[in-house]
Amino acid sequence: MAARLRDPATLLPSLVGASSPHSRLREIHAHLLVSGRLASPSHHADFVASLASSSHLSYARLLLPRRPATLLVHNGLLRALARGPCPGLAFAAFRELPLAPDHYSFTFLVRAATSLAAAASSATPVPTDVAVSLLAGSVHAAAFRHGHAADLHVQSGAVSMYAAVGDVGAVRAAFAEIMSPDVVCVTAMLGALSAGGDVDTARELFDRMPQQDHVAWNAMLTGYVRVGRAREALGLFDEMQKAGVSVGEATLVSVLTACAQMGALERGMWVHSYVCSRGMRVSVTLGTALLDMYSKCGVVTMAMEVFESMTERNIYTWTSALSGLAMNGMGEECLELFKRMESTGMEPNGVTFVAVLRGCSVAGLVEEGRACFDSMKDKHKAEPWLEHYGCMVDLYGRAGCLDDAVNFINSMPVEPHEGVWGALLNASRIHNNADLGKHAMYKLTKIESKNDAAHVLLSNIYAESHNWKGVSKVRNMMKSKGVKKVPGCSAIEVDGKVHEFFVGSKSHPRYKDIETMLAGMSHKLRLQGYTANTKEVLFDIEEEEKEGAISLHSEKLALAFGLITLPEGTVIRIVKNLRVCKDCHDYTKMISKVFDREIVMRDRNRFHHFKHGACSCRDYW
DNA sequence: GTAGGGTTAG
């Protein structure tokens, strides 16, 4: 009965639009009054909270003085504000509180501070605002002053709050305060640790928990995913299922993110069919995670199918789709989709522009990219980030407009970062401009002296122009500076199992077969007139010590394994942690022709779709 | 008759 009475008030956000005029609200208000449905204080509180949470804050405030003030009403208001789009308003309401706050009030304030901190850290790539950090401290201090800091809800909230502002010391202190932490408190700590990248400590805590519920499992899962340990995340998911823990949306989203990271398409598709077969509702978050998984596994058609089937799309959805098209080399489609997005009134943010600019870059759409960059400021009033400047340099440089790239850098209103010089360096490599490359390298190493990828790029530039002295100079430079190259690793999924290959590694159980296959591949390629680029092989900086190492580059090993194990006609999908080297790229193109196989190779930052001897990147990467 | 922990884009 009581629940039915509450209906009109709690349903308010859906009854009236956020832009409804006061007259319409008065009508509803009058109706509720006359029918007696606002008689009890709790219904009144619900009504006020509903108004506040549907952006009718001013009307909600009008209602406040109409009754004797109750904490219920005011706390409801605080809750609505803390959860709303402007959590800061909760503090204003708190200051005007006509009654002494209780422990409920403080959970809402802690929540508001947490949301503010989260918003601040996602808006910019820099560490969270000092102001938000101070705010968190003062909320906590106020809770102490009012004697409500010992409440379990406030305490676990404080742990999450300090994690959101990135204050590791405060997180530990807040957790240490808790006399007898329950599952929720420990899980909050778990989440805080893994958000700070300290998954191993989080795991210890997790293993020590007397019993873990599904939220604790999820916190652990996302911890692994966040630091890029996708394999462990999937392993944990297996354990979770064995333990019979209920699998909900949050779990699946994390699992999909792990699949996306690893390029584990089969596992990702398993999640998709799991969702479908159980008739689960595909929420925006789940849909976006699915779409992103497909893009990052190189299956753009499925990604777009998911996108089109979604009934609700937020900025993450749009940006993920745009970015998927961009990284799969579909620049025109990316721009098209961006226009569609603009026409729906969805406002792009900085991340969206990164995606669109990258789309322009892969397709060589210089003018469009320039227009897009300009529209950021003019039309969308968004200040470009360093990333956007980097994208522009990449756009000009990749298209061969090296002068434009240099002029663009010179006209930047902010100091260029390593990404900008890295983009110029890469452009120099594509267009064989050793002098410009040297300049970019000089600038880059002044900022980041030990960038291994940059050293490899420069060496490639020298090797390309047969400047072997230059190559060995770079090699010595790396030695003397102690620059360690991250070992190349290629992964391929077969029957749901991901196999990893490192350069020249012979440890795979089927190495003998792989070796035989590699020999067969070389033989077939030679018949087709392919000659390995032997001079460059000798100076391949990635593997100078190993004889013939280039023929054992990780992507070649994975490719051979794929040819052995995957039935004819299926696409071979390989995920590499670094960029593909030129020789492997040429080699793979040939393989796609000679073996008549479609090969999809995911690079460090984009996709190569090989088919009939050509690559979707048009040899610009 | 109000609360707390886990979920998507670079």
Side-chain angles (χ1 to χ4, degrees):
Chain A
M1 189 60 182
R4 275 186 59 188
L5 271 177
R6 282 174 55 197
D7 265 1
T10 48
L11 280 177
L12 188 78
S14 55
L15 285 176
V16 293
S19 56
S20 299
H22 272 196
S23 57
R24 169 88 179 117
L25 293 175
R26 266 202 298 271
E27 243 175 69
I28 295 173
H29 185 193
H31 184 73
L32 292 173
L33 279 174
V34 170
S35 62
R37 283 194 270 197
L38 287 185
S40 82
S42 68
H43 298 156
H44 179 68
D46 271 347
F47 186 51
V48 171
S50 305
L51 284 164
S53 58
S54 56
S55 351
H56 296 295
L57 197 60
S58 56
Y59 201 91
R61 281 192 192 286
L62 277 173
L63 288 193
L64 282 182
R66 297 194 155 231
R67 304 256 179 160
T70 63
L71 258 186
L72 193 64
V73 172
H74 284 274
N75 281 343
L77 188 64
L78 285 181
R79 178 180 68 141
L81 294 172
R83 289 184 180 174
C86 309
L89 292 174
F91 300 107
F94 178 74
R95 276 191 293 274
E96 292 165 18
L97 217 55
L99 298 155
D102 64 359
H103 47 296
Y104 284 96
S105 318
F106 281 102
T107 59
F108 301 132
L109 287 189
V110 166
R111 168 82 187 241
T114 308
S115 310
L116 276 181
S121 63
S122 70
T124 48
V126 294
T128 306
D129 224 2
V130 184
V132 187
S133 182
L134 287 172
L135 179 71
S138 61
V139 167
H140 203 189
F144 273 107
R145 266 202 315 278
H146 287 88
H148 296 301
D151 180 80
L152 263 188
H153 295 85
V154 174
Q155 286 174 316
S156 61
V159 169
S160 304
M161 176 178 73
Y162 286 123
V165 300
D167 190 338
V168 185
V171 167
R172 275 204 214 100
F175 187 64
E177 289 267 330
I178 309 177
M179 295 299 283
S180 45
D182 63 2
V183 202
V184 179
C185 292
V186 178
T187 311
M189 186 60 190
L190 194 64
L193 284 167
S194 58
D198 194 357
V199 243
D200 295 315
T201 311
R203 182 60 192 256
E204 278 172 32
L205 198 59
F206 178 79
D207 288 334
R208 279 207 308 269
M209 285 174 84
Q211 62 199 11
Q212 305 95 340
D213 64 5
H214 71 281
V215 182
W217 282 89
N218 289 341
M220 205 55 241
L221 261 182
T222 51
Y224 282 123
V225 171
R226 205 158 4 211
V227 296
R229 285 157 64 171
R231 185 179 280 272
E232 282 156 281
L234 291 185
L236 194 72
F237 175 62
D238 292 337
E239 280 181 53
M240 187 175 170
Q241 280 191 299
K242 262 183 232 146
V245 184
S246 75
V247 171
E249 175 172 327
T251 305
L252 294 180
V253 169
S254 290
V255 171
L256 284 170
T257 311
C259 292
Q261 271 179 22
M262 296 179 74
L265 178 62
E266 282 181 43
R267 278 299 272 275
M269 284 171 69
W270 176 86
V271 173
H272 196 178
S273 56
Y274 183 96
V275 168
C276 294
S277 67
R278 265 150 233 254
M280 284 175 71
R281 194 180 82 85
V282 179
S283 67
V284 210
T285 310
L286 184 55
T288 305
L290 264 174
L291 137 70
D292 193 53
M293 179 277 295
Y294 279 119
S295 307
K296 287 184 177 150
C297 290
V299 194
V300 200
T301 46
M302 276 308 294
M304 294 318 289
E305 215 169 274
V306 172
F307 177 82
E308 295 299 346
S309 73
M310 289 171 70
T311 48
E312 190 193 339
R313 303 180 185 111
N314 61 20
I315 189 65
Y316 288 84
T317 317
W318 283 99
T319 305
S320 181
L322 290 166
S323 159
L325 290 169
M327 67 186 158
N328 281 283
M330 300 169 74
E332 280 90 359
E333 290 86 344
C334 177
L335 263 184
E336 281 299 308
L337 192 70
F338 182 57
K339 284 189 196 123
R340 201 172 130 197
M341 172 178 164
E342 282 187 308
S343 73
T344 66
M346 176 70 69
E347 191 59 24
N349 63 22
V351 185
T352 317
F353 279 108
V354 170
V356 180
L357 289 175
R358 290 192 63 197
C360 294
S361 179
V362 296
L365 304 168
V366 178
E367 274 319 307
E368 290 84 346
R370 199 201 311 257
C372 180
F373 184 80
D374 291 340
S375 83
M376 262 186 89
K377 266 184 163 168
D378 307 339
K379 195 167 155 193
H380 300 285
K381 296 183 191 73
E383 201 53 43
W385 303 339
L386 279 163
E387 283 91 329
H388 300 115
Y389 290 102
C391 287
M392 287 306 288
V393 174
D394 185 61
L395 171 73
Y396 286 127
R398 200 184 286 276
C401 314
L402 296 177
D403 290 340
D404 288 325
V406 173
N407 290 336
F408 183 83
I409 294 176
N410 290 334
S411 68
M412 278 175 62
V414 285
E415 201 56 38
H417 71 323
E418 65 278 6
V420 167
W421 296 117
L424 190 65
L425 182 61
N426 188 42
S428 311
R429 179 195 59 88
I430 294 175
H431 299 287
N432 293 320
N433 190 326
D435 287 339
L436 193 59
K438 250 165 66 183
H439 172 68
M441 185 69 178
Y442 171 73
K443 292 288 199 176
L444 200 160
T445 46
K446 270 177 82 175
I447 302 169
E448 194 185 353
S449 68
K450 291 189 175 184
N451 185 318
D452 62 323
H455 285 82
V456 174
L457 269 182
L458 184 63
S459 144
N460 289 347
I461 291 175
Y462 285 137
E464 199 88 351
S465 50
H466 306 279
N467 178 352
W468 310 124
K469 254 169 104 179
V471 173
S472 63
K473 225 171 79 186
V474 177
R475 190 187 306 154
N476 290 334
M477 211 153 82
M478 289 176 78
K479 269 203 188 116
S480 68
K481 280 198 286 195
V483 180
K484 283 266 184 303
K485 200 191 145 296
V486 176
C489 172
S490 295
I492 181 168
E493 192 189 31
V494 175
D495 292 331
K497 188 172 183 288
V498 177
H499 300 251
E500 282 177 338
F501 294 91
F502 289 88
V503 240
S505 75
K506 303 182 175 178
S507 53
H508 195 274
R510 294 194 61 183
Y511 186 73
K512 274 274 165 278
D513 299 332
I514 294 170
E515 209 172 24
T516 313
M517 190 66 200
L518 279 169
M521 285 154 76
S522 304
H523 180 69
K524 277 201 176 180
L525 290 195
R526 268 200 304 277
L527 288 179
Q528 289 285 316
Y530 171 85
T531 50
N533 208 339
T534 48
K535 270 192 182 155
E536 288 180 25
V537 174
L538 288 173
F539 290 92
D540 175 29
I541 197 155
E542 306 196 14
E543 281 310 312
E544 46 159 323
E545 326 278 79
K546 287 177 188 140
E547 205 179 323
I550 203 163
S551 64
L552 296 175
H553 265 185
S554 63
E555 49 271 59
K556 287 181 178 144
L557 294 176
L559 189 52
F561 185 64
L563 284 170
I564 295 170
T565 51
L566 297 172
E568 254 176 65
T570 52
V571 180
I572 297 177
R573 300 173 189 281
I574 294 168
V575 177
K576 199 189 171 186
N577 63 340
L578 307 172
R579 342 164 61 101
V580 185
C581 83
K582 186 152 174 37
D583 182 74
C584 286
H585 194 263
D586 288 343
Y587 185 90
T588 312
K589 279 199 291 188
M590 291 288 284
I591 292 284
S592 76
K593 187 176 163 196
V594 174
F595 285 76
D596 191 26
R597 285 296 276 262
E598 202 178 324
I599 300 157
V600 179
M601 204 174 271
R602 188 172 97 184
D603 217 22
R604 192 184 169 74
N605 45 28
R606 62 159 301 160
F607 277 92
H608 301 269
H609 293 258
F610 299 94
K611 204 175 178 178
H612 306 314
C615 179
S616 61
C617 79
R618 307 180 218 175
D619 297 347
Y620 288 91
W621 81 94

